[in-house]
Amino acid sequence: MNSDEALSRLTLLCPPPSHPSPAGEAEFESGALPVPASHRRLIASYGTGCFDEFMWVFAEGAPNAQLDIVERTRLMRANLRGKALHELNHVLGEFRVGPDDLVQWGGTDNGDTLAWIAKGDPDDWPTVIIQAGQLRAVVNSGSSTATVLGLLDGSLRVPFFPADFPDVRPEFSANPYA
């Protein structure tokens, strides 16, 4: 399924807010952080925030540093460097990349990471979902939008996500805990 179709299906399943939270542009020290066009469209529709009070999506220049894709990516890379990441290293080895080739576009309340394996054309980057503590990892070949849709409609199951996620009627909130 292409990313436009995934976004259309996602907005039917989980309607976006009428006024998405704004997100600007940010840069890595070495230049602009590449972000797939499909993720930019996801953020244009929803803004940064939380799906179903569990899964957060990040964007460049988010006012909250906890939701800024550049800041989250820097922290994730620093956290993964030099660690014995047994299953994750196996996944990264299959793609011939290292932790510095991951871009974190989302996360969960349990501390799980959703990151692109940034190799090749950004529109073709797969997502790796990394369990908190880097114990297990699941790879999904779809865009971030298709990954969110798959998680919310149940077509993508992650064994370390809670059994009660997603809800029958998932919702999006810029800040579900406000």
Side-chain angles (χ1 to χ4, degrees):
M1 152 182 0
N2 71 41
S3 61
D4 289 332
E5 182 182 345
L7 183 58
S8 178
R9 289 180 56 194
L10 179 60
T11 59
L12 289 173
L13 175 66
C14 182
S18 55
H19 302 290
S21 62
E25 294 294 319
E27 294 185 352
F28 267 124
E29 294 163 12
S30 62
L33 170 65
V35 173
S38 59
H39 190 74
R40 291 184 191 279
R41 289 189 298 274
L42 174 68
I43 296 303
S45 295
Y46 287 90
T48 57
C50 190
F51 285 94
D52 218 23
E53 296 184 352
F54 178 68
M55 182 177 53
W56 295 81
V57 292
F58 308 151
E60 300 164 290
N64 178 343
Q66 295 299 316
L67 302 178
D68 185 274
I69 199 169
V70 174
E71 183 61 21
R72 299 307 304 171
T73 296
R74 281 188 183 137
L75 292 171
M76 177 208 55
R77 288 175 176 178
N79 185 43
L80 295 178
R81 276 188 205 111
K83 288 194 174 178
L85 309 167
H86 303 290
E87 187 168 334
L88 180 58
N89 277 336
H90 177 73
V91 168
L92 297 178
E94 289 178 15
F95 287 91
R96 295 189 173 120
V97 298
D100 283 342
D101 296 306
L102 299 177
V103 175
Q104 186 178 4
W105 62 262
T108 70
D109 281 352
N110 289 352
D112 308 309
T113 297
L114 292 94
W116 292 300
I117 298 172
K119 182 178 180 183
D121 182 347
D123 289 326
D124 296 330
W125 289 350
T127 289
V128 60
I129 304 169
I130 307 164
Q131 184 179 24
Q134 299 90 33
L135 302 174
R136 294 188 279 175
V138 172
V139 176
N140 182 50
S141 62
S143 66
S144 55
T145 305
T147 299
V148 171
L149 174 63
L151 290 167
L152 293 181
D153 74 9
S155 63
L156 174 60
R157 302 297 303 162
V158 175
F160 46 87
F161 277 13
D164 63 350
F165 175 81
D167 193 50
V168 175
R169 289 198 172 105
E171 295 181 358
F172 180 86
S173 175
N175 186 357
Y177 307 113

